[in-house]
Amino acid sequence: MASPMEQFEVVKLHPLEAGGYDLSFTNSSLWMAIAIGVIAVFMFVGTARPQLVPGRWQAAVEYVYDFVRKMLDENVGPEGRRYAPLIFAVFMFVLVCNLLGLLPWVGAFTPTSHISVTIGLAFLVFIVVCIVGFWRHGLHFFSLFWPKDANIFLGAFVFVIEVLSFLSRPFTLAIRLFANMTAGHVLLKVFGTFVVALGSFNALPYVFGVLPLAVNVALTALEVLIAVVQAYVFALLASLYLNDAVNLH
């Protein structure tokens, strides 16, 4: 019987090496490309023929974009709107990758269940935050880490703690998404195995299989909710980090 961790195995679909680096096209690459394709179709269909009274697709695109824009307004302020395309793109990519991994029977793969993908997204946000902070405030950006009206000794102590906390942000952001997606998929796999194992008993197979099947259906619904929530949390934390860079608090 397959291991619950087998679903996370990265498989090379098209081996490729350049300059001593492995640039192979994998199942993870494939599903990230599919995610980008789904987002592109969603955006194209929703914005190809804009109307004063929006249709369903246009309304869906506008709703998601307005959702992200309002989140930035609440957490960053009016200055945050210029970063709406970035947060929107990150939110949509994480959301679609999370949801695609739940598709049954097509060999779906969840890229966000791998730390290499989530750490890449987290460092993208972190680098943008640093660039924005230094671009807007110069060296005054370091005042973010220094407590106001603190003496030199307490200030230095807090400064070190704040810098370490700031540097840990991309790791905590990446691990949170990776851990939640991995744990959810493992649970689905384990209870799916129970359905097969308990349902294969010679006596009353359907009775033994009904309970784990019901649990699996409930877990699938929960995993869909978690997929949406984790995309929202990732975008929300990214907007909060941008607030520090823009407003220095």
Side-chain angles (χ1 to χ4, degrees):
M1 191 171 292
S3 166
M5 304 305 294
E6 186 177 334
Q7 60 184 311
F8 306 115
E9 181 182 0
V10 176
V11 179
K12 292 182 181 181
L13 303 179
H14 183 72
L16 178 65
E17 187 173 327
Y21 293 96
D22 188 357
L23 303 177
S24 300
F25 189 78
T26 65
N27 53 344
S28 180
S29 307
L30 173 63
W31 284 94
M32 283 191 284
I34 292 174
I36 293 173
V38 170
I39 296 170
V41 170
F42 174 69
M43 295 298 297
F44 177 78
V45 174
T47 59
R49 297 179 179 178
Q51 299 175 352
L52 184 61
V53 179
R56 293 180 180 178
W57 284 102
Q58 182 182 341
V61 172
E62 290 179 355
Y63 175 81
V64 178
Y65 190 82
D66 283 343
F67 172 76
V68 172
R69 188 176 61 181
K70 288 178 181 177
M71 180 172 59
L72 285 167
D73 286 343
E74 293 173 359
N75 295 293
V76 183
E79 287 284 333
R81 291 196 173 190
R82 66 176 62 186
Y83 308 105
L86 170 66
I87 303 301
F88 176 78
V90 170
F91 172 75
M92 288 297 297
F93 182 76
V94 173
L95 176 63
V96 175
C97 282
N98 290 352
L99 293 176
L100 285 177
L102 296 172
L103 292 177
W105 307 309
V106 293
F109 184 88
T110 311
T112 46
S113 65
H114 275 256
I115 190 68
S116 58
V117 174
T118 60
I119 200 77
L121 291 170
F123 267 102
L124 170 64
V125 172
F126 180 74
I127 291 171
V128 169
V129 167
C130 291
I131 291 174
V132 170
F134 285 111
W135 174 63
R136 288 179 61 90
H137 307 288
L139 294 179
H140 187 61
F141 180 57
F142 286 110
S143 65
L144 175 67
F145 313 116
W146 190 272
K148 188 176 181 181
D149 300 326
N151 62 59
I152 186 67
F153 300 104
L154 179 60
F157 178 72
V158 174
F159 180 84
V160 172
I161 294 177
E162 289 293 331
V163 169
L164 292 176
S165 174
F166 182 79
L167 295 177
S168 70
R169 284 180 176 182
F171 301 100
T172 56
L173 189 61
I175 292 172
R176 181 182 293 105
L177 175 59
F178 147 75
N180 277 281
M181 299 313 300
T182 300
H185 283 68
V186 169
L187 277 176
L188 286 177
K189 182 68 174 181
V190 169
F191 277 93
T193 303
F194 286 164
V195 173
V196 176
L198 297 178
S200 63
F201 287 168
N202 291 328
L204 300 176
Y206 297 106
V207 174
F208 284 111
V210 165
L211 181 58
L213 177 60
V215 173
N216 218 38
V217 171
L219 282 176
T220 301
L222 179 62
E223 190 66 12
V224 172
L225 177 62
I226 291 174
V228 176
V229 170
Q230 287 304 313
Y232 167 71
V233 169
F234 198 97
L236 175 63
L237 290 175
S239 66
L240 291 174
Y241 297 160
L242 275 171
N243 175 57
D244 288 340
V246 173
N247 300 313
L248 288 183
H249 62 75

